[in-house]
Amino acid sequence: MESWLAGLLRAAWVAGTLPLIIASLPSSRLNSFHGALLGFAKRGKIMQSSSHKLTVPQRFFCHFYVVAVVWTTLLLFTLWAYAYKMAPSVSEPSLYSTIASHLTGGSHMFSFHKSRLTPLQHRHRVWSSVFVLLLMEIQVVRRLIETIYTFKYSPSARMHIFGYLTGLFFYTAAPLSLCCTLVPEVFGFAADLVAEFIVKGKRQMPAFELELWESVNPFLKLRWFQWIGAAIFLWGWMHQRCCHAILGSLREHAEQIDDYVIPHGDWFEIVSCPHYLAEIVIYAGLLVASGGTDITIWLLFAFVVANLVFAAAETQRWYIRKFDNYPSNRYAIIPCVY
């Protein structure tokens, strides 16, 4: 099951990334393809108010994060229960053996070499996945709150139905990609519990005893690169929160349909789409925190970058067309690069 699930996710990310890369190439022969793909991706201010065919209200963005919160929470707590029961915390190797492992090539960070995992390595992998899903949970919960309380979508704001379905797929597949190598055994663990409950009934089920310290202690034993990944994640997370607050404050009333102003503050001073840049930083943090051993997460990150760069380029063009005094020193999304 692991191979086909991981393969399916990888194929999906490749299938989503390649058209975005091709459409972004600077070739006049690709203009029609670029226009077609852009038609599917347009939403909000960059979509003409008259083109409502096959569109849904942009406020449906909220649906993405409802799905994301429910699905990520389910995965997180199922994986956490599995980790607590099947991969409990044990004593770690000494500092000297850890250093020796790094010096002799024992560290597996950013290595795609597959080998049989020892019990200790398996525990590290399980708790690392719990940690990464916990970061994802922090992200999607905040985004749900923002779509409800921060953003004031205009009644006329629309997005293409293809973009809407893509968003639903993304927030289903992204959390799954962060733990896809463990999903078969975790779902098997959950299925066994359900089957045992059906056979034995509630009264004969063994009591689930949860010791708080034992459920969080493994996080204190995570490796250095996982904490660096968490720091990168939180850096992007805080800047995205700030940029979204700025964007939300630009329209005090949802009824203001065409009242757009140039945003200023935080990363808006250097790029036109700092919230997209922050999203890239967030997923870079997740990639580093995961250890970089799973190609599925690399492909997820590639899709995030390709999608946001493609969207940022069109947003930049819209700003330049809309405002004669738009700052010429702002890049679209990557400072000093693009």
Side-chain angles (χ1 to χ4, degrees), residues 9 28 47 85 95 101 111 129 143 149 157 185 203 210 213 224 234 243 249 251 262 268 271 276 287 296 309:
L9 288 168
S28 58
M47 173 175 278
K85 284 298 220 179
L95 174 63
S101 176
S111 170
S129 296
R143 293 295 288 117
Y149 297 106
E185 56 193 271
R203 293 183 178 180
L210 176 65
W213 175 248
W224 58 271
L234 291 174
C243 292
S249 68
R251 181 180 291 143
I262 299 174
F268 275 108
V271 294
Y276 292 169
L287 175 61
T296 310
V309 168

Side-chain angles (χ1 to χ4, degrees), residues 211-231:
E211 295 184 15
L212 182 60
W213 175 248
E214 288 299 320
S215 66
V216 298
N217 182 48
F219 294 131
L220 302 179
K221 301 176 181 179
L222 293 174
R223 296 171 181 173
W224 58 271
F225 57 82
Q226 289 161 328
W227 292 111
I228 290 177

